[in-house]
Amino acid sequence: MTRRRIFGSFIAVGLLACTLTGAAQNKPLDSARDRPFVPVTDEMLWKPNPADWLTWRRTLDSWGFSPLNQINRSNVAQMKMAWSRGMGPGNVQEATPLVYNGVMYLPNPSDLVQALDAKTGDLLWQYQRKLPADLGKFMPVFAINRNLAIYGDKIIDTSADDYVFALDAKTGALAWETKILDYQKGAQQTSGPIIANGKIISGRGCEPEGGPDACVITAHDAVTGKEIWRTRTIPKPGEPGYETWGDVPEDKRIHVGTWMVPSYDPQLNMVYIGTSVTSPAPKYMLAGNDKRYLYHNSTLALNADTGKIEWYYQHLVDHWDLDHPFERLLLETAVAPDPKQVAWINPKVKPGEKRRVITGIPGKTGIVYTLDRRTGEFLWARPTVQQNVIRSIDGATGAVTGNPDVLFTAKGQEKLICPSVNGGKNWPAGAYSPPTNAMYYPLQNMCMEVTTLEPDASLYAVQMQPELAAGTDKVGTVFAISAETGRTLWKYEQRAGILSLVATGGGLIFVGDAIGHFRALDDQTGKVLFDINLGSPVSGYPITFAVSGKQYVAVSTGPSLVAGGVGRLTPELKPGSASQMFVFALP
């Protein structure tokens, strides 16, 4: 069975109270080429300068929030394009640029990395990795290059051919590379790494050809590239959790990937990362519907020094390809879930008590889960968009009970499943804003008809036909949800699907969609304050940064799997497909 056939079914640490001008304490020189390069430290990653964007969601707690406020509710309507630049070719474009001291480091598809003057868009250097000619036979969607990391004087990434590598941030020259896996029996490097206390932490998909040994989270020394540890997401014989797969042979235990970017708590020294579904998805094809198959669809909390799993929480035993590998928000908040809107609450929660939590929407179901960050104790959970796969969650234990009415027991069965394989939630990222203590999430109002196939017919052994959720003609929605109470504060809905967003100290939520519109919403009301059509799906992760005291907003367009998937439900909307970086500022 070819990989192409398999993939046929794969459809900041604290708010800085300052203005932009006051934040830029060391005003950079006008030319990016002339600025001295100061090595990036762990402390800088933990508490970045407001002008910079140093990691995937700006801070290692995955907030997707910038305190910059020069562009705000009162003036965002005046925002104009500052510059634009075409990106490298590729069938998938989901980039997050980094910005440090006036230089933008941009991951393009297929391991093309560029350094640009963030003020003008001028090219400073670029690096194009030479990839094996037969790579597409094993990883047909290898073009994905979502994010980079920066540490010391190096730009660090994971490559499509299963290496971790470092580039000189000043010249783009390859400094070192370390092999992680054999790409022919390897893993799809679907996202880049973060840096956790001097360690490069990265997750990945894992291909069936690689078996369970390809399903790993790894840590490498950020200076030398030497591997420090690797942790499997499928337990080995003799390890706790091995028995949860029943009598499935070890080499048939596959595809529990960590597709997305981890979060990191430097005080607890813990890395938090989510996992995907198994292959095949229907569990009657494995050891039965009564098994748990750890650690699929779980949150894992790992000791950053050793890779040891300190705790885990399983969100759902999956039968339909409803992954749970998306961003985890780390924050401190009062916990007072409102039983009028929060379906499942731990009875031991004392309303109003301050807790350090891990929260957000980790999976395609669209369910918000809030857990204690140190122990993994379940605190509360609530649905958002329509879902019919979870029947209940035990508040006292956090144990999830699936809906028996939507389980499969034989080939050819058909079930209506909500949400769809595109979400609910998917890789488009949400954000958290400290001024509002609210999280903002891009979601889709979608369901799907799922039919079981032969176990080896496709990667997940199911056929999926998307459809709109009942009672709406709007595919995309943004939910604003209180991190304290779990209440919906507002919703914004539209016909086209919604993609990633970012929150700012100017009271704005910048959000792109699947047909090319890039908007700014009021973070307190959801009102649209700015709207521009960029022509192609806004599949990149938006960011904001500052150069010489001036704030900019950046986002990229291009094709992506989610944009294509949600677009099937809006055939009258016909976006382009150009991959392009756009940067905006006030006049």
Side-chain angles (χ1 to χ4, degrees), residues 128-196:
Q128 176 67 74
R129 188 170 182 82
K130 185 177 181 181
L131 297 172
D134 64 346
L135 184 60
K137 291 165 58 175
F138 301 94
M139 300 178 197
V141 287
F142 64 83
I144 297 175
N145 194 13
R146 290 188 174 115
N147 67 290
L148 305 166
I150 186 170
Y151 192 74
D153 61 354
K154 302 294 188 295
I155 300 298
I156 299 169
D157 199 6
T158 49
S159 71
D161 58 342
D162 282 352
Y163 282 74
V164 58
F165 65 94
L167 307 176
D168 186 300
K170 298 172 292 229
T171 67
L174 181 67
W176 54 257
E177 60 180 15
T178 300
K179 186 176 182 178
I180 302 173
L181 292 160
D182 176 359
Y183 72 87
Q184 295 186 355
K185 296 182 179 180
Q188 186 184 347
Q189 305 295 326
T190 54
S191 299
I194 62 166
I195 307 299

Side-chain angles (χ1 to χ4, degrees), residues 253-271:
R253 304 179 178 200
I254 58 173
H255 200 64
V256 179
T258 46
W259 300 94
M260 295 301 297
V261 188
S263 302
Y264 175 61
D265 180 338
Q267 292 181 302
L268 293 176
N269 195 33
M270 281 225 270
V271 172

